[in-house]
Every structure is written in structure tokens, then in C-alpha cells.
């Protein structure tokens, strides 16, 4: 199953961590030579969840990660998002949602190597049970959160107090993921492969629902991750159960484009993955090198990681590319936005893999 | 490696872990029930999350309802009452525990209860101080309020005789842990009473054709039939061609081998494999591990003992855990 | 067997694997009390995941002071790991790393035909063994120091573990068929790597060498120190030739200022050094830093050996010794020659541990020893000559291997190194000999019909199950157990806290890979009920649908009808939209919930009728009404409200929307309903009392109009 590194030019380095990695993100670059990674870890020996920043030293032979700052988290982290701080570039903002149901905002000082809790939204009244997904908007001013309890909340970071309830389905719908589409719109993913499009200007519920019987009633699942490309805000890319990856164009609400999946609708026969897709991100790296003049209706290439240990790139109408195949699950990954050839991913077996594409 | 994972409140009388070992229910002398939860599935840190009053008298035993029916416990009180409590979320702010069912209190007390048959129709076996066994059936898969008495009988092979003046001190029930919809449900039950015939552990199986419970085996040698039984434990079977059941009496712990094919009379062959002595006095609890190979026991000598069979099929005491400051 | 066993009464070493060699007396382990004090009122036990036993210790009321709590729960992990040598996190890394090689070996075993099995199998086993060995740490330092200090005779390397030592022993004796001819040399290499492990409890050549090296920096003229000569003889005896030559070159006679006065002495030192570096070795090759001349075939080696011995004898009798003035040098070198000539009493004097003496005998006394039988008798002799007070756990393993007793080896493996070692080493043992393979694979009725190999895999899987981060690799080992693996896997899955989303998804994935659909359905059912009871109705319905639990879904449907029935005119019906979306249209397992979706559609079209007045929309709504009323899944309690809400359709101005048969259907339903009202359990829809009458009238009118039209 494993690819030998010599047969493909992607460099892969695995760094054991001796702690389970719940989430990980690249931090915005401070300079070309210093890069940082934010990890949400869980030390099972001491039952301690923590957040830590690490300095990444790229090297062909042996890239290394050096711990920089670390803070204990109140509970395990379910989702982690980063946004550059518009005023102080060396202090990006990190939003972390907790298993216990709270939402925490940290500011990471990459120069002095500190990680400070700016403020947290307390558990009470916020979500019932774990927060399943969060997203920070482009300028890092607002954070939207969703939960299995069916609540959709907005937190204003500048206000540093409380939250605003956008919607409460009282548990009738369970949300699993969320992603901003524009400063006022966002998309939530739900059980049953449902996607809801929300517009803050229109209160009272989602403005568009995507739930068709495109799976033919044979399979249903959960949307674990959503991505929306800044240049194509009307198209929502969603990944979830049974290796399903599909795109929903809000302008053509009844016709999803199925890019991958097992036993769902008219998915391509050769699915790269068969089990849950945990994370989806548009892959700008492949984009810049391969398609420049493609039509706007074509779905841009996207990177996915899966429960069955695959990190790969899926592109509409093309053979999927497998970047990494592991005997354990790949729980999450992040493409470095400023240097999209570099990808970090967290392996279930307490380690991190760093990939550098040529 | 041993580590302390939680501290119990003052006056704790009994504890019970749920199916996954993520929640502990503790019954107190003042009739309160405490629930301890782990902070996340990987953690072994437990904190108390609920405390509520179940009854006025002390709680003697807590038993979790199988998870297919929610997060619920049955409590046996010192006054012989039996009540069912369930955790539910009804409003928007968190969960609470509510009383689902208080079983009718008659003259006799409830000594032990166990749930079984979770796959098809949940059953509750209760053993009473007058030597009666009652089996209740849940009528509605989603509500724990509605129960129906399915059967009532005494723990005797000879079904016609009736012992009216039985007075039992304790009872122990153990269901066949097999999760199968094809196999008929069965359990083993033994008493500690003043009526010798009630004491010996009998294996009861539901006879579908006649819609009644029948004793299919008796786990005692002729000379020990009158021995008072303090605990029984049916081992999980992960593929053995026979069943293993442990029985504790004052004489020690015996391991029984129960055949799976009934004879012409519908009886199962039972064979005693070993008699083990260790606790010297009363055995409090017995529990098999998930593979059914190691038996853990506690007793009034204050020790935990582990028992195993070696490769020659010889049962022996493998280890003793002794509390030490 | 002589000596005491190495395991103390620590919980870590508590063995949970049955074997035949158990002593009858149980071992006593202390259970540390952290917060409570004795006496205790009661102890309660419960098995948690895998081999974890939880003991509730309840305090007596009277004994307790105000501060003491009511009790505590202590978690005991039985036989989880080797006591202390390897930390938990490191163990997990080994466990993770061994999954892929183990799985690969199993799949090769399954696909290999019997013909090639005999011939090539060991090569696969060796590949497996090498991969496992690499997980256990690296004893050989890979990067040589750039500036070599002449006084560093012993390179500092990562502290090796007994586990690795044990693995390498098993590999060389069982798996590596190529090294069978030169086992003594392999043992020598092995001792060079692991002699330090014995230093803790016993003097060893390694310990002496380390202590001498520490002194070396401060010593002038080493040749005057008796320890210098002792240590060289010792190192020579155990075959660390490179160390000896290096030490010899530290001899004072090599110094420039000694030129002219100590030539003879220097010549003799160099002659010995030369002889040492020419020593014939019965092995195919050697690492570059090691010294000696390799011979891969026995006749060549024998010839070279005779020649070499002749040279030593010649040097021993040389007249130059008389001209050597430095007495220590003379005696020391002569002693070294005696070592090389295989003088048994000298060898015994210069070695400490019996295994060192053993190696020296292989090198200088009986270099042609082959076959385990003779190796074993030699080992016994050496043990007799050098009895040990403390028996290291590796010793039991070596003896077991040499006496070819598979049961002892198994027992030693599991007792000293734990279930990980046993499970993985069984692959090596099975490749070692047919006799061992038979023993490992023979079904034993006494342990429930499984074989020893399966027993150990089950035990290891149980250890893995004990930890939240490793439980999900247990299935890899369980699926290699033919008889009881699936049974244990089921029990393991049923113990997972599936109300946690990620645990449920992980468990379902394991079920998917192993074809355990029924287990996965049951887990989804548990999750569904949990969510239902905890206010997450959407996920509850989703999971129950996935679990195809029609009984509970129908029950939920009934509950929802009550709710929807009450609030049907309310705006709050909108809340249910999301859930109704979830249910889909085609889903076969929606149970009675399917009705809700149809009902929603009907209400929508009715709404349109109320807003705009087109006959087309009205006709559609009427069709929806008929289809709803025809559908057997439409609950009775909805019949009247449906009809009452549709009064406008029934009294449609522009002509009847329903034909005769359709109207008759509705009339029949109405009649059925009025009969049902008399039965117990009837749910009243809470409509105005005249509702029934007005519907009855409207239907009659419609029928009349329809008859006229037809």
C-alpha cells in the first residue's frame, strides 16, 4: 500500500510526536525562513489537551519541528482555524473549539514565542455538547460555530464578549461543519449529506437547502468538511462519509457534481478513498501549475485526507493523485497558503507528516 | 500499573460502571445517586456531573440498563424498592435524571436484578427475598416507563413445589452475555436462603414453544445442593464450544462447564471443572474479563483475586491484589 | 532451574497469559491506596476496556475522618508492558509500527502455496524481523565521530534494551537460516551489543572496560597498570578484537621518546596485535571497523585456524621474550597468548559472566561447535563454572532456546517481555522448526479449541484494547485469529463509547473492513437512542435510519405525529423542515416518518392554493390529498385534520376536483374514522366539534357534483 518515496518526487518526512494530534494548521509566514505550525495535541498518559506552536525548519534531509510555546487547553480541540491579524502580522489569531463546548481565541506571538488566550466563549448556553465545526472569516473578525445540537452561533472577535445565536434547530438538524462563503454568507454541512446556505442579511433560517436524493437512497452520510474557493463563491465543495466528495453550485441547486465516493449516485468508478473524508481544501498548488485556462464551470482540484490513510488530490475528470498512503487514518491536513507546495498532515498514530511537492 | 482515577463521595455504598466504562454511578447511604463522567473518550479523568436523590433509604445496588435503551440505571434500595432512572434532555439547557418507573413494592424485598435480551425485547430479572423470581418485559423500545410482568416463579427444578416461607438474604443473577437473536435468552440464578432447594444456581432458559421459563441445568453437585450461593457469573463466550459459569458459595468458587446441546429432556450437561478456595469467607463479586478467560473476584477478606486456567485446563489463582497504603 | 526469577511483585509484570509452567502459588501485588485508608468496607470490581480492571475501594464510615472521602476507584492495567524499561508512549510507537509488518506477513502467509513455503518462507520472516527490530531502537551508532579520540576505545551508543536483545536472539536462532552456520560469531556480535545489559547486577567485561576508559585520561604509562593488561585479556576473550588492538597501541613503547630503548618490547606488542588482527573468523563478512579474517567455508577456516594457532605457539616459544625487560608487558602479552591458545583456566579468569566465558570458548577452545545440543552442553558447563546470583531475564530465554524447549521460550517471552513480544516472536519461532510450528499451531481443547499462537494474539489484542489510542489496531491481530478473533472483536466493539461521534465512526469503519454489519447496526442503534434521549433528534433519526431500526423509527414517527399534529397550524412547523429534508423521499427505512415529508408537501401546495387561486394548483393539492389518504402509513389521527384543512378544495368553486371514486375513498375513510372514535386509544385531533360534520357535508356536495360531471 505504501508508496516508496523514490518513485515519486514528493518528499515525505514523518515526525513522531508522542501525543495524539487533534488538529494542526500552518501559521502565516513571518519571513521566508521562519515558519510556524499550530498543533492541538492530546497527551493520553496525563490526559492533558494542549495547544502548541512549533517552529518549522525546512530541510531536504531532515526537516525539524521545534516546540516554541505551549498552553494547556480546557478540553480536547475539535476544530482549529487561523487568521492573520490585520494589524500585527506577527500575531495571528487562532480559534479553537473545544470538546466541552466552549470556543477559545488565542493570539500567537511568533516573535517572542508565546501563545495567549485572548478570550473564550463559555460553555453555558453556547452549544450543548461538543462544538463540531468553526470557521473564521477572511479578516478574522467573526467566527461562526455549529454543533450537533443544531445551533449556529456567531462570535465577534473584536467585541470579545458572548455570541449571537443565528439559528437553533433544537436538535432537529445536527451540523457537522461550517465554512464562510463571503463576509455575510456561510455554508453548513449536516447529517444526511445536507448543506445549508446562510445569509446573515436574511434571518430565520437557511436561504438555500441542498438535500437531494442524489445518493439514490442507498447511502447517506455526514459532511465532515467544506471548502469554498475565494474566486468561486457560489460553489461549495463538501467531503464526508464513504469517500464522498461533491460540489454544489448554489445556482444549480439540484445538480451536485460528484467527484468521488463509493455507492453514491454517479460517482466515478475508481474512488481513491472508501471511508470518511476528514478534510477538504482546494489545492492551489496543482491549480497554479496545471490548469490556468480552464472553464469556470470546472471544479478546481482539491486535496483530501481520509480515514483509510490516503492524502490525495482529486480533480474533476482526471485520475486522482495519491500523495501519501498510510496504514493508519490521516485525520487532518493543511496546505501552506503562502507556499502551497508544502503540506502538513496529522496521522492517527501520534505523528505528523510533512510533504514538500517539487 | 495502577492509578487512582476518581474519588468517591462520603457515604458511597455501591458503584457501577456503564457498558463502555465511561460513566460511573455511585449509590449513597442517604439514597442519593451520583454520576461520574470522563471528560472525553480517551481520558481516564472522571468528574462528578450529576447528583440526585433516588429514595430515603440507602442504595444497595445500581445496575445500568443496556445502552440500546438509553442512559439509565436501576437502583435497589435498602428498603427493598426498585426504581429506574433515566438521563434525558428535555429543555434547551442540558440533561437531567428523571424517574421512569418505580416497581411495585410488595412484602418482599428486591435482592438482585439484571437486564438481558437487549437485542430483541429488554427483560429485567428480579430476585426477591421470598425466593420469587420475576421477569419483566419492556413494552416500548423508547420508553422505560412501561413494563409488563412476563413470568414469576421460584428457583427450583421441580416446578410444582412451592416454598411459601422462604427468607432469602441475598441473590445473584447473571445473564448469558451472548448477543444473539437466534439463541434463546438464558440466565443463571442462585440464592442464599433458609430453603435449601432455592439456593443452588439454576440455568433458566425461555422455551419459545410453551412460552415459559424452564430450568435447563443445575450447577451444584448432589452434596452441595443446599449451599448458599453468594455470587454467580456467566463468562462471555468468544468461540468456545461450551459455556463457563463461575459459582461462589461459602466453600469457595467453582467453575462450571455448561454444554450447548440439550438432551432429550431439554437439559444441558453441566460439569464442575474446579473448586477454588481463596477468599476463605464470603465472595462479594465476580466478574469475567471481555474474553472470558480471567475471572476477577472480591470477598470479605478485602482482596481482589484473579483466576485462570492454564494450558492443561487446570484452574488456579493467578494473582492477588491487596490494598496497601 | 538455578537462580531466582527476575520479575518482582510489580503489577506491570503481572502475566495474564496462561502457560503450562505456572507455579502453583499466586503472586501477591500491592494495590496502592491514594486517598482512602484501611480498613475498607467493601471492594467492587469491574473490567473496563481490555485488560483494565477497575477496583472501587469503599471506606468504612466509622474509620473515616472528616477529610477522607467515601472511597476511590483505582484502575489497574494488567500485564500491559514490560516493567519500566520502555515508557508507555514508546510502547505505543512500537505497537503502531508493528502493525504493517505483521499484516504483510500474514497476507503473504495466506497467499503462499505449500511448495514455496518451505524454501522461501524464512526470507519473508527475516524481512519482517528486520522491520520489527528497527522499531526497537538502534544499538549501532550510525554516524561515526568525526574526530576520533585515540583514547575512546568504546563508542558511546544509545542504551540498548533487553527487548531488542531478546528479539535479536530469537531472530538469529529461529529465523535467519543463513546464519545457522556461524551462530557462535553471531552470538559474539550480540554480546558486544548487549553485554552492558548485564552490568547492572553483575561484573562484566563491558563494565570493566567502561570504568577503565574513564580512568584512561588520567593514566600515564598504561603498561604499568595491571588493570590495562587484565582488561585487554578480557576483551580479547570475548572477541572485541578492535578494542584490544586499539588498547595495545596505547602501550608506552610506541612513543617516540621510547625509540631505541624498547624496540623488542614494542615488537612483541605489535606481534600480538598483528596476530589478533589476523585471527580467522568463521563468518561471511564483518563490519568494517571489526578485525579478523573472514572465512565462509569450514575447510578454509580450519586450514587458516591451524596456521594461525601455529603462529601463536611459535611466538609463545620465541626467544625474544627473554629480551623484554618490562615485566608487566611480558606477563600481560603472554597471558593474552594463553587466551588465544584457549587455556581454559585463563579464559575462566578473565571473564565474569557465564555468557562471556561461553563466547570465549567458542572463539578459542571449540570454534567448530555446531548444533544446539552441543551448544547447550557447553552453556551448562559455563554456567556451572560461573554461577550467577541474579538471573537476568535474557538468561532464561537463552537457556530455553539452547535446550530447544519451545514452551520455555514462550513462557520466558511472555513473562519477561510481555504479550507484544510473544505475539510477534511466535512468527520467528514457527519459522524455526517444524516441531515448534506444530506446538504453536496445534489446537488445544483445554483452552477452548484454539492454538497457542491464537491465544497469544488474543491476549495481545486485549492489551491493545486497554488503551484509547491503540484499541483500533487490535482488529488487525484479531482478524488473524481464526477461531475466537471475531468473537473478541465484537465484544471489543460493543464496549466502545459510541455516543461519541468519532468513536462511532471509527467503530463503523472497523465493522466495514471486517464485514461486521450487524455489529455496526447495533452500535448505530445505541448512538441513535442516545441522541434521541438527549435532544439531538436529527442525528438520532439519521443513525436509526442507518441502523435500519424500523421499530424505533416507527415509534419516533408516532411521537413526532403527536407533536406535528398539535402545532400544524403554527409557524413552528418550519422548524421541522431540516429534519424532513434529512429523511429524503426514497429512503426505505424512514419508517412512518416518510409521511411527514408527504404531509409537508401537501401543506405547501395547500398554502399556494390559499394564496393564489388557480385551479391548476388546486388540482395538484387535491391529488396530494388523495395520495396521502391512500397511503397506509398516514396515521389515522391525521385523517380528519387533513380533510378539514382541505375544505376549500372539496368545495372548489369552478367544479369538483375529485372524481366519484376518489370521493368515495375519502368517505370510506371518514366512516372508518367515526367507528375508530368509539375504540380505546383514539387520539383526538383537537378540532372544533363541527369539523366532522362540515367535512361530511363537503364530501357529499363534491360527490353530487362529481356524479353530475361523469
Amino acid at each position: 500500500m505504501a508508496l516508496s518515496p523514490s518513485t515519486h518526487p514528493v518528499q515525505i518526512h514523518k515526525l513522531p510526536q508522542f501525543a495524539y494530534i487533534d488538529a494542526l494548521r500552518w501559521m502565516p509566514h513571518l519571513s521566508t525562513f521562519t515558519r510556524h505550525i499550530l498543533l492541538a495535541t492530546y497527551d493520553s498518559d496525563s490526559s492533558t489537551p494542549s495547544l502548541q506552536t512549533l517552529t518549522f525548519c525546512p530541510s531536504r534531509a531532515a526537516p525539524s519541528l521545534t516546540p516554541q510555546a505551549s498552553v494547556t487547553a480546557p478540553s480536547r480541540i475539535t476544530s482549529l482555524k487561523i487568521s492573520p491579524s490585520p494589524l500585527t502580522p506577527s500575531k495571528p489569531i487562532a480559534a479553537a473549539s473545544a470538546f466541552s463546548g466552549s470556543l477559545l481565541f488565542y493570539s500567537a506571538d511568533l516573535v517572542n514565542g508565546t501563545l495567549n488566550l485572548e478570550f473564550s466563549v463559555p460553555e453555558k448556553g453556547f452549544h450543548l455538547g461538543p462544538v463540531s465545526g468553526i470557521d473564521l472569516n477572511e479578516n478574522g473578525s467573526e467566527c461562526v460555530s455549529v454543533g450537533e445540537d443544531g445551533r449556529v452561533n456567531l462570535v465577534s472577535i473584536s467585541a470579545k464578549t458572548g455570541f449571537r445565536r443565528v439559528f437553533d434547530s433544537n436538535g432537529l438538524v445536527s451540523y457537522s461543519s461550517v465554512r464562510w462563503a463571503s463576509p455575510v454568507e456561510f455554508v453548513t454541512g449536516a447529517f444526511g449529506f445536507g448543506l445549508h446556505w446562510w445569509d446573515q442579511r436574511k434571518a430565520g433560517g437557511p436561504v438555500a437547502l441542498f438535500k437531494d436524493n442524489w445518493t439514490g437512497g442507498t447511502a447517506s452520510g455526514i459532511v465532515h468538511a467544506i471548502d469554498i474557493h475565494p474566486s468561486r463563491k457560489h460553489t461549495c465543495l463538501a467531503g464526508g462519509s464513504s469517500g464522498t466528495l461533491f460540489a454544489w453550485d448554489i445556482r444549480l441547486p439540484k445538480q451536485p457534481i460528484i467527484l468521488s465516493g463509493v455507492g453514491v449516485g454517479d460517482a466515478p468508478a475508481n474512488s481513491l478513498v472508501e471511508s470518511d473524508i476528514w478534510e477538504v481544501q482546494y489545492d492551489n498548488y496543482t491549480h497554479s501549475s496545471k490548469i490556468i485556462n480552464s472553464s469556470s464551470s470546472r471544479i478546481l482540484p482539491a486535496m483530501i485526507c481520509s480515514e483509510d490513510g490516503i492524502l490525495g488530490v482529486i480533480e474533476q475528470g482526471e485520475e486522482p493523485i495519491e500523495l501519501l498512503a498510510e496504514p493508519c487514518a490521516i485525520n487532518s491536513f493543511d496546505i501552506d497558503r503562502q507556499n502551497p507546495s508544502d503540506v502538513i498532515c496529522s496521522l492517527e498514530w501520534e505523528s505528523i507528516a510533512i510533504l514538500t511537492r517539487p | 500499573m495502577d492509578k487512582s482515577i476518581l474519588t468517591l463521595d462520603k457515604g458511597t455504598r455501591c458503584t457501577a460502571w456503564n457498558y463502555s466504562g465511561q460513566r460511573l454511578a455511585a449509590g449513597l447511604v442517604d439514597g442519593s445517586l451520583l454520576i461520574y463522567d470522563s471528560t472525553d473518550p480517551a481520558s481516564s479523568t472522571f468528574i462528578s456531573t450529576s447528583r440526585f436523590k433516588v429514595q430515603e433509604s440507602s442504595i444497595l445496588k445500581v445496575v445500568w440498563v443496556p445502552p440500546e435503551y438509553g442512559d439509565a440505571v436501576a437502583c435497589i434500595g435498602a428498603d427493598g424498592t426498585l426504581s429506574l432512572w433515566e438521563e434525558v434532555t428535555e429543555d434547551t439547557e442540558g440533561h437531567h435524571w428523571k424517574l421512569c418507573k418505580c416497581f411495585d413494592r410488595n412484602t418482599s424485598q428486591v435482592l438482585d436484578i439484571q437486564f438481558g435480551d437487549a437485542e430483541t425485547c429488554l427483560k429485567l430479572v428480579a430476585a426477591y427475598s421470598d425466593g420469587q423470581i420475576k421477569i419483566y418485559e419492556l413494552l416500548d423500545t423508547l420508553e422505560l416507563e412501561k413494563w409488563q410482568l412476563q413470568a414469576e416463579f421460584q428457583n427450583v427444578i421441580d416446578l410444582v413445589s412451592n416454598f411459601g416461607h422462604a427468607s432469602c438474604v441475598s441473590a445473584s443473577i447473571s445473564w448469558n452475555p451472548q448477543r444473539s437473536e437466534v439463541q434463546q435468552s438464558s440466565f443463571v440464578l442462585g440464592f442464599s436462603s433458609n430453603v435449601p432447594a432455592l439456593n443452588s444456581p439454576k440455568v433458566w432458559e425461555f422455551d419459545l414453544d410453551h412460552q415459559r421459563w424452564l430450568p435447563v441445568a443445575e450447577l451444584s453437585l448432589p452434596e452441595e445442593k443446599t449451599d448458599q450461593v453468594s455470587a454467580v457469573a456467566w463468562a462471555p463466550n468468544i468461540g468456545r464450544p461450551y459455556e463457563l459459569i463461575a459459582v461462589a458459595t461459602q466453600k469457595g468458587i467453582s467453575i462450571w462447564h455448561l454444554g450447548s446441546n440439550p438432551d432429550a429432556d431439554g437439559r444441558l450437561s453441566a460439569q464442575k471443572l474446579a473448586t477454588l478456595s481463596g477468599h476463605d469467607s464470603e465472595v462479594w463479586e465476580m466478574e469475567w474479563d471481555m474474553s472470558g478467560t480471567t475471572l476477577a473476584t472480591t470477598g470479605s477478606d478485602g482482596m481482589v483475586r484473579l483466576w485462570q486456567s492454564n494450558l492443561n485446563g487446570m484452574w488456579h489463582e493467578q494473582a492477588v491484589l491487596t490494598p496497601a497504603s | 532451574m538455578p537462580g531466582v526469577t527476575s520479575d518482582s511483585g510489580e503489577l506491570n509484570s503481572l502475566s495474564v497469559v496462561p502457560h503450562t509452567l505456572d507455579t502453583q502459588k499466586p503472586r501477591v501485588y500491592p494495590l496502592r491506596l491514594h486517598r482512602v485508608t484501611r480498613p475498607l468496607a467493601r471492594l467492587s470490581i469491574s473490567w473496563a476496556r481490555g485488560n483494565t480492571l477497575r477496583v472501587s475501594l469503599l471506606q468504612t464510615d466509622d474509620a473515616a475522618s472528616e477529610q477522607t472521602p467515601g472511597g476511590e476507584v483505582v484502575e489497574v492495567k494488567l500485564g500491559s508492558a514490560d516493567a519500566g524499561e520502555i515508557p508507555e508512549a514508546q510502547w505505543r510507537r512500537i505497537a503502531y509500527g508493528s502493525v504493517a509488518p505483521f499484516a504483510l506477513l500474514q497476507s503473504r502467509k495466506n497467499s503462499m502455496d505449500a511448495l514455496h513455503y518451505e524454501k522461501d518462507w524464512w526470507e519473508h520472516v527475516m524481512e519482517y524481523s528486520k522491520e520489527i527490530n528497527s522499531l526497537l531502537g538502534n544499538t549501532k551508532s550510525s554516524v561515526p565521530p568525526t574526530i576520533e579520540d585515540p583514547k575512546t576505545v568504546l563508542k558511546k551508543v544509545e542504551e540498548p534494551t533487553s527487548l531488542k536483545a531478546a528479539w535479536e536472539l530469537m531472530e538469529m536462532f529461529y529465523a535467519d537460516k543463513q546464519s545457522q552456520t556461524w551462530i557462535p560469531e553471531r552470538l559474539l556480535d550480540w554480546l558486544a551489543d548487549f553485554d552492558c545489559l548485564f552490568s547492572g547486577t553483575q561484573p562484566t567485561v563491558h563494565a570493566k572496560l567502561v570504568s577503565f576508559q574513564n580512568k584512561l585520561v588520567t593514566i600515564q604509562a598504561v603498561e604499568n597498570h595491571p588493570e590495562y593488561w587484565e582488561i585487554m585479556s578480557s576483551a580479547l576473550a570475548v572477541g572485541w578484537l578492535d578494542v584490544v588492538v586499539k588498547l595495545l597501541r596505547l602501550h608506552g613503547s610506541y612513543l617516540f621518546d621510547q625509540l631505541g630503548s624498547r624496540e623488542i618490547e614494542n615488537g612483541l606488542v605489535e606481534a600480538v596485535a598483528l596476530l589478533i588482527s589476523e585471527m580467522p573468523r568463521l563468518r561471511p563478512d564483518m563490519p568494517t571497523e571489526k578485525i579478523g579474517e573472514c572465512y565462509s567455508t569450514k575447510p578454509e577456516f580450519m586450514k587458516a585456524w591451524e596456521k594461525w594457532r601455529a603462529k601463536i605457539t611459535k611466538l609463545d616459544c620465541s626467544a625474544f621474550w627473554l629480551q623484554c625487560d618490562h615485566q608487566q608487558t611480558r606477563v600481560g602479552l603472554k597471558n593474552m597468548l594463553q587466551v588465544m591458545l584457549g587455556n581454559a583456566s585463563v579464559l575462566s579468569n578473565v571473564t565474569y559472566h557465564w555468557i562471556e566465558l561461553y563466547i570465549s570458548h567458542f572463539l578459542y577452545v571449540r570454534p567448530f561447535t555446531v548444533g544446539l545440543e552441543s551448544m547447550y552442553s557447553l552453556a551448562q558447563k559455563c554456567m556451572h563454572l560461573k554461577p550467577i546470583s541474579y538471573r537476568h531475564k535474557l538468561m532464561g530465554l537463552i537457556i530455553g532456546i539452547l535446550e530447544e524447549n519451545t514452551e520455555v521460550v514462550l513462557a520466558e517471552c511472555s513473562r519477561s517481555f510481555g504479550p507484544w513480544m510473544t505475539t510477534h516472536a511466535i512468527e520467528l519461532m514457527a519459522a524455526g522448526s517444524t516441531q515448534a510450528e506444530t506446538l504453536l499451531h496445534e489446537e488445544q481443547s483445554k483452552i477452548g479449541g484454539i492454538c497457542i499462537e491464537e491465544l497469544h494474539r488474543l491476549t495481545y489484542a486485549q492489551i491493545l484494547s486497554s488503551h484509547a489510542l491503540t484499541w483500533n489496531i487490535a482488529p488487525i491481530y484479531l482478524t488473524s485469529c481464526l477461531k475466537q478473533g471475531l468473537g473478541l472483536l465484537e465484544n471489543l466493539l460493543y464496549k466502545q463509547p459510541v455516543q461519541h461521534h468519532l468513536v462511532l465512526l471509527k467503530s463503523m469503519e472497523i465493522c466495514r473492513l471486517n464485514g461486521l454489519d450487524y455489529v455496526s447496526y447495533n452500535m448505530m442503534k445505541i448512538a441513535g437512542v442516545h441522541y434521541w434521549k438527549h435532544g439531538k433528534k436529527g442525528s438520532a433519526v439519521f443513525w436509526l435510519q442507518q441502523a435500519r431500526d424500523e421499530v424505533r423509527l416507527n415509534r419516533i414517527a408516532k411521537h413526532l405525529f403527536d407533536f406535528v399534529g398539535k402545532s400544524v397550524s403554527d409557524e413552528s412547523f418550519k422548524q421541522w423542515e431540516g429534519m424532513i429534508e434529512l429523511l429524503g423521499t426514497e429512503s426505505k427505512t424512514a419508517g412512518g416518518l416518510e409521511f411527514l415529508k408527504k404531509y409537508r408537501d401537501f401543506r405547501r401546495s395547500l398554502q399556494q392554493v390559499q394564496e393564489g387561486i388557480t385551479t391548476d394548483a388546486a388540482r395538484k393539492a387535491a391529488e396530494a390529498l388523495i395520495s396521502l389518504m391512500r397511503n397506509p402509513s398516514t396515521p389515522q389521527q391525521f385523517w380528519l385534520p387533513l380533510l378539514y384543512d382541505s375544505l376549500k378544495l372539496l368545495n372548489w368553486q369552478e367544479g369538483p376536483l375529485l372524481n366519484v371514486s376518489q370521493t368515495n375513498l375519502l368517505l370510506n375513510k371518514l366512516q372508518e374514522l367515526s367507528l375508530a372514535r368509539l375504540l380505546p386509544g383514539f387520539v383526538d385531533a383537537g378540532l372544533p366539534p363541527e369539523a366532522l360534520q362540515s367535512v361530511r357535508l363537503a364530501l357529499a356536495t363534491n360527490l353530487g357534483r362529481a356524479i353530475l360531471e361523469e
Side-chain angles (χ1 to χ4, degrees), chain A residues 16 18-20 42-45 76 99 128-130 148-149 167-174 176 191-193 196 204 209 211 213 216-222 224 241 274-276 278 307-308 327 329 348-350, chain C residues 88-90 92-93 95-97 99-100 467 469-470 472-473 499-502 505-506 509 512-513 531 534-540 542-543 546 548 560 574-579 581-588 597:
Chain A
F18 297 116
Y20 193 84
Y42 180 71
D43 180 338
S44 73
D45 294 338
R76 287 180 72 168
F99 189 83
L128 274 176
E148 275 180 48
D149 56 354
F167 186 73
D168 188 350
S169 83
N170 289 315
L172 292 174
V173 183
S174 286
S176 49
F191 283 52
F193 283 143
H196 296 182
L209 292 175
K211 164 70 188 144
N213 57 335
T218 51
S220 188
I222 303 164
H224 295 309
S241 316
E274 293 184 347
S275 45
D276 299 83
W278 293 122
E307 174 67 29
D308 47 10
E348 186 184 15
W349 289 345
E350 299 176 64
Chain C
E88 278 267 317
Q90 187 68 41
R92 286 203 301 278
R93 218 176 132 186
Y96 297 145
V99 170
H467 198 283
L469 297 185
T470 54
N472 57 50
I473 54 181
Q499 68 273 28
H500 294 294
H501 188 61
L502 292 177
L505 292 178
K506 174 64 78 180
E509 174 74 3
R512 184 180 73 86
L513 294 173
Y531 287 127
H534 289 83
K536 292 169 184 168
K537 298 191 163 57
S539 0
F542 174 79
W543 287 121
Q546 299 287 92
R548 306 185 187 178
L560 291 182
K574 212 176 168 183
Q575 278 209 327
W576 294 85
E577 288 274 311
M579 168 112 115
E581 284 298 333
L582 187 68
L583 300 174
T585 42
E586 303 302 316
S587 181
K588 290 178 193 77
K597 181 155 174 127

Side-chain angles (χ1 to χ4, degrees), chain C residues 387-408:
Chain C
I388 38 173
S389 55
Y390 176 85
R391 188 157 154 270
H392 192 275
K393 53 189 175 185
L394 281 168
M395 290 303 127
L397 187 63
I398 294 175
I399 295 160
I401 290 172
L402 292 176
E403 67 178 352
E404 289 180 274
N405 189 334
T406 314
E407 284 184 37
V408 171

Side-chain angles (χ1 to χ4, degrees), chain C residues 403-422:
Chain C
E403 67 178 352
E404 289 180 274
N405 189 334
T406 314
E407 284 184 37
V408 171
V409 174
L410 262 183
E412 289 292 337
C413 264
S414 85
R415 185 159 58 193
S416 308
F417 304 100
W420 175 86
M421 177 68 175
T422 328

Side-chain angles (χ1 to χ4, degrees), chain B residues 80-153:
Chain B
T81 52
L82 173 61
S83 55
L84 274 179
W85 292 77
E86 184 182 23
E87 185 188 72
V88 285
T89 307
E90 275 164 350
D91 48 24
T92 50
E93 286 317 313
H95 54 250
H96 70 275
W97 286 79
K98 68 161 194 193
L99 175 66
C100 295
K101 168 86 182 168
C102 209
F103 285 86
D104 289 339
R105 167 93 168 84
N106 52 17
T107 47
S108 55
Q109 299 190 337
V110 177
L111 298 176
D112 192 19
I113 59 146
Q114 286 301 331
F115 293 96
D117 224 1
E119 278 66 45
T120 47
C121 175
L122 185 67
K123 288 181 186 66
L124 162 63
V125 183
Y128 288 82
S129 57
D130 59 359
Q132 288 290 319
I133 301 169
K134 285 184 188 175
I135 294 171
Y136 295 93
E137 244 179 6
L138 184 67
L139 292 175
D140 183 332
T141 49
L142 276 180
E143 305 286 340
L144 288 169
E145 281 87 358
K146 293 168 198 152
W147 293 83
Q148 174 181 284
L149 184 66
Q150 187 217 17
E152 185 174 1
F153 48 88

Side-chain angles (χ1 to χ4, degrees), chain A residues 294-342:
Chain A
S294 71
S295 76
S296 69
S297 65
R298 199 177 150 124
I299 307 299
L300 298 173
M303 190 179 284
I304 52 130
C305 70
S306 75
E307 174 67 29
D308 47 10
I310 303 289
L311 180 77
V313 177
I314 294 178
E315 195 180 337
Q316 192 181 2
E318 303 269 335
E319 275 290 306
I321 302 160
E322 188 178 280
L323 293 174
L324 186 64
E326 285 293 310
C328 65
I330 302 179
N331 289 332
S332 62
F333 72 91
D334 196 26
I335 303 173
D336 190 348
R337 273 191 236 176
Q338 286 140 292
N339 190 10
S341 69
D342 291 359

Side-chain angles (χ1 to χ4, degrees), chain C residues 595-610:
Chain C
F595 159 72
L596 278 182
K597 181 155 174 127
K598 288 214 173 98
Y599 185 57
R600 195 267 320 257
D601 292 342
F602 169 68
R603 287 202 64 82
R604 266 199 196 149
S605 52
L606 208 57
Q607 196 101 36
Q608 283 166 355
V609 173
Q610 241 109 37

